[in-house]
Amino acid sequence: MAKLWLTDKSYPIWSYLLRIIYWLLAIYLSSLFLQAYGQESWSKVGLIVLSILFVIIFLVFARLIDHFLKVTVKD
């Protein structure tokens, strides 16, 4: 278990792995979006909207991870 940067909470390694996998998936989906719609005039706006959507989903996802993957600290 390690402490997340700039916090005093400890998280299991699965928490880190899930977050890394999420962002790798987000990058992959963004690249697919660019390959499919890169030639369109609205593709930059679509990519911005997609990025904002990824961040909002990540915030919810991170809250769920924090809730379900708690570390019990024994003093």
Side-chain angles (χ1 to χ4, degrees):
M1 286 169 272
K3 291 187 178 185
L4 192 62
W5 184 60
L6 293 178
T7 68
D8 58 350
K9 294 182 180 180
S10 294
Y11 294 100
I13 193 70
W14 297 110
S15 176
Y16 292 110
L17 290 176
L18 287 173
R19 289 174 180 171
I20 290 169
I21 289 169
Y22 175 83
W23 284 116
L24 290 175
L25 181 67
I27 291 168
Y28 176 71
L29 291 176
S30 297
S31 66
L32 287 179
F33 177 84
L34 279 177
Q35 286 178 1
Y37 302 109
Q39 69 278 5
E40 302 291 335
S41 61
W42 48 266
S43 66
K44 289 183 182 179
V45 174
L47 192 59
I48 291 170
V49 170
L50 188 64
S51 298
I52 291 171
L53 184 65
F54 281 140
V55 169
I56 291 171
I57 292 171
F58 177 76
L59 292 174
V60 173
F61 181 63
R63 294 287 304 248
L64 289 174
I65 289 174
D66 292 344
H67 179 72
F68 290 113
L69 294 177
K70 290 181 183 176
V71 173
T72 55
V73 177
K74 296 180 181 179
D75 293 326

